[in-house]
Amino acid sequence: QVQLVQSGGGLVRPGGSLTLTCASSESIDSFPAMGWFRQTPGKERELVAAATPDGGASYADSVKGRFAVPKNNAKNTLYLEMHNLKPEDTAVYYCNAARLIGGVKQLYWGQGAQVNVSS
């Protein structure tokens, strides 16, 4: 069973920076799709940033230019670097990985990390 273990999160002031870490128990090269989602109470989980195996990335409009999703393949780790944080970035952030096994899409999630942006 794939495990995604997150670390990071916490309280940061507006304009500050924070990095979340997602360590996979399996090679991240085995996942065609990896990314970060976030969720606030009463709302659906939304995709924040997605990393592709070729080194590309895509971002939600709300975080474009402020967030980045670098990877360390040797450590099987995905990061979410967040800069110029805003109060509206406050949410629980989840790491996600997806792949097809036998034609069936398998989704894996980290345990979540609370990020609070407040003065």
mmCIF file of all heavy atoms in Angstrom, residues 3 28 40 57 99:
data_model
loop_
_atom_site.group_PDB
_atom_site.id
_atom_site.type_symbol
_atom_site.label_atom_id
_atom_site.label_comp_id
_atom_site.label_asym_id
_atom_site.label_seq_id
_atom_site.Cartn_x
_atom_site.Cartn_y
_atom_site.Cartn_z
ATOM 1 N N GLN A 3 2.111 4.832 0.746
ATOM 2 C CA GLN A 3 1.921 5.808 1.816
ATOM 3 C C GLN A 3 2.515 7.138 1.398
ATOM 4 O O GLN A 3 3.643 7.198 0.901
ATOM 5 C CB GLN A 3 2.585 5.323 3.100
ATOM 6 C CG GLN A 3 1.856 4.167 3.768
ATOM 7 C CD GLN A 3 2.418 3.856 5.140
ATOM 8 O OE1 GLN A 3 3.620 3.987 5.376
ATOM 9 N NE2 GLN A 3 1.556 3.445 6.062
ATOM 10 N N ILE A 28 8.340 8.073 -6.901
ATOM 11 C CA ILE A 28 7.364 9.015 -7.467
ATOM 12 C C ILE A 28 7.354 8.952 -8.988
ATOM 13 O O ILE A 28 6.436 9.459 -9.624
ATOM 14 C CB ILE A 28 7.602 10.449 -6.965
ATOM 15 C CG1 ILE A 28 8.979 10.961 -7.360
ATOM 16 C CG2 ILE A 28 7.382 10.526 -5.469
ATOM 17 C CD1 ILE A 28 9.210 12.431 -6.987
ATOM 18 N N THR A 40 -11.247 23.779 2.620
ATOM 19 C CA THR A 40 -11.717 24.573 3.748
ATOM 20 C C THR A 40 -13.087 24.046 4.157
ATOM 21 O O THR A 40 -13.779 23.404 3.358
ATOM 22 C CB THR A 40 -11.802 26.054 3.376
ATOM 23 O OG1 THR A 40 -12.624 26.196 2.205
ATOM 24 C CG2 THR A 40 -10.428 26.626 3.086
ATOM 25 N N ALA A 57 4.427 21.684 -14.655
ATOM 26 C CA ALA A 57 3.504 21.914 -13.546
ATOM 27 C C ALA A 57 2.362 22.798 -14.010
ATOM 28 O O ALA A 57 2.502 23.562 -14.963
ATOM 29 C CB ALA A 57 4.224 22.552 -12.369
ATOM 30 N N ARG A 99 -2.309 6.851 -10.268
ATOM 31 C CA ARG A 99 -1.777 6.009 -11.336
ATOM 32 C C ARG A 99 -2.812 4.961 -11.697
ATOM 33 O O ARG A 99 -3.770 4.733 -10.952
ATOM 34 C CB ARG A 99 -0.476 5.326 -10.903
ATOM 35 C CG ARG A 99 -0.610 4.351 -9.747
ATOM 36 C CD ARG A 99 0.747 3.846 -9.310
ATOM 37 N NE ARG A 99 0.658 2.942 -8.172
ATOM 38 C CZ ARG A 99 1.702 2.518 -7.484
ATOM 39 N NH1 ARG A 99 2.933 2.907 -7.819
ATOM 40 N NH2 ARG A 99 1.546 1.685 -6.477
#
